[in-house]
């Protein structure tokens, strides 16, 4: 197996193992064994368990951020951008459940470096959502209030998306629709 494919395979195995047991309960030996490789091969790709975990968090954060960012800049109306960004969260939870679970654990985890990595990307997403809100409010909301609304929207979507994951089921699609209606009404009616 070539290096990029091996690295991707090791990350996928690590995601599953860490997602099940958490960072502190997993050893590099466990990851190597689950991946069907020797520890030296694992260490060739990741010099430490911390580096492996950071690479895993970074990969999952990149996917989540890219999907939300694409939704927010799509050449469609703002209401549809909101719908697409909410759907991106739901899709990430459904398609990357272990990765999402790790990211949510690290928002309150004990490891500062892990928590900071997650916080940086969440802050970027928050800023991008706030930009959309400021544009949609046509100046009725200042940046500070727009960030409060963006934070509330992100929290709302993350919470609902974690409830009963299940792909594009009718129930999940209805949940996105309800959240969009709630958010859109709030954004368009909110005044200082």
């Amino acid at each position: 197996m070539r290096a990029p494919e091996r690295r991707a395979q090791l990350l996928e195995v690590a995601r599953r193992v860490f997602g099940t047991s958490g960072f502190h309960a997993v050893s590099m030996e466990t990851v190597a064994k689950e991946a069907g490789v020797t520890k030296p091969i694992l260490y060739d790709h990741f010099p430490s368990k911390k580096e492996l975990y950071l690479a895993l968090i970074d990969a999952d954060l990149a996917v989540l951020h890219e999907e939300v960012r694409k939704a927010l800049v799509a050449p469609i109306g703002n209401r549809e951008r909101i719908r697409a960004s909410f759907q991106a969260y739901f899709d990430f939870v459904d398609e990357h459940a272990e990765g999402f679970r790790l990211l949510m654990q690290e928002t309150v985890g004990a490891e500062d470096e892990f928590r900071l990595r997650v916080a940086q990307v969440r802050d970027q997403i928050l800023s991008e959502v706030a930009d959309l809100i400021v544009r949609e409010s046509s100046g009725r909301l200042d940046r500070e209030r727009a960030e409060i609304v963006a934070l509330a929207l992100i929290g709302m979507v993350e919470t609902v998306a974690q409830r009963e994951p299940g792909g594009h089921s009718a129930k999940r699609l209805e949940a996105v629709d309800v959240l969009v209606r709630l958010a859109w009404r709030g954004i368009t009616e909110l005044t200082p």
Side-chain angles (χ1 to χ4, degrees):
M1 192 178 287
R2 293 183 314 192
E5 289 94 7
R6 176 64 74 193
R7 182 179 173 85
Q9 180 233 0
L10 293 171
L11 284 173
E12 188 58 38
V13 170
R15 183 176 292 107
R16 188 178 67 248
V17 175
F18 285 125
T20 301
S21 303
F23 176 74
H24 293 290
V26 173
S27 68
M28 290 291 271
E29 184 175 340
T30 302
V31 174
K33 182 178 177 183
E34 288 292 317
V37 300
T38 62
K39 280 192 340 188
I41 290 174
L42 180 58
Y43 279 109
D44 280 346
H45 293 274
F46 304 99
S48 69
K49 181 170 86 165
K50 185 175 185 178
E51 291 298 318
L52 170 60
Y53 199 74
L54 285 170
L56 181 59
I57 288 173
D58 288 344
D60 288 339
L61 285 169
V63 169
L64 176 61
H65 186 219
E66 179 58 20
E67 292 305 310
V68 171
R69 190 195 64 72
K70 282 191 319 194
L72 292 173
V73 299
I76 53 180
N78 283 339
R79 183 179 179 139
E80 289 309 308
R81 285 186 187 106
I82 290 171
R83 177 181 303 285
S85 66
F86 287 6
Q87 189 65 55
Y89 262 100
F90 274 68
D91 291 347
F92 187 82
V93 170
D94 293 339
E95 296 165 12
H96 305 276
E98 290 145 339
F100 190 77
R101 190 169 38 255
L102 290 175
L103 297 180
M104 291 301 98
Q105 287 172 1
E106 294 312 331
T107 62
V108 294
E111 299 288 332
D112 287 341
E113 192 169 358
F114 301 160
R115 195 172 50 254
L116 288 173
R117 293 277 177 105
V118 174
Q120 286 173 335
V121 172
R122 289 180 99 205
D123 287 347
Q124 290 172 336
I125 291 171
L126 181 132
S127 179
E128 292 163 5
V129 172
D131 289 344
L132 185 141
I133 293 167
V134 167
R135 281 193 313 270
E136 182 56 36
S137 75
S138 301
R140 289 189 319 265
L141 281 182
D142 62 18
R143 181 66 188 196
E144 186 177 336
R145 287 189 176 101
E147 287 183 2
I148 292 168
V149 173
L151 184 59
L153 292 175
I154 291 167
M156 175 180 74
V157 171
E158 286 177 353
T159 300
V160 176
Q162 291 177 74
R163 187 175 183 194
E164 301 177 36
H168 290 280
S169 69
K171 192 173 186 178
R172 300 285 276 171
L173 295 173
E174 180 183 353
V176 170
D177 189 53
V178 168
L179 292 176
V180 169
R181 287 194 319 257
L182 173 66
W184 188 251
R185 181 160 294 168
I187 292 168
T188 58
E189 298 296 322
L190 202 61
T191 57

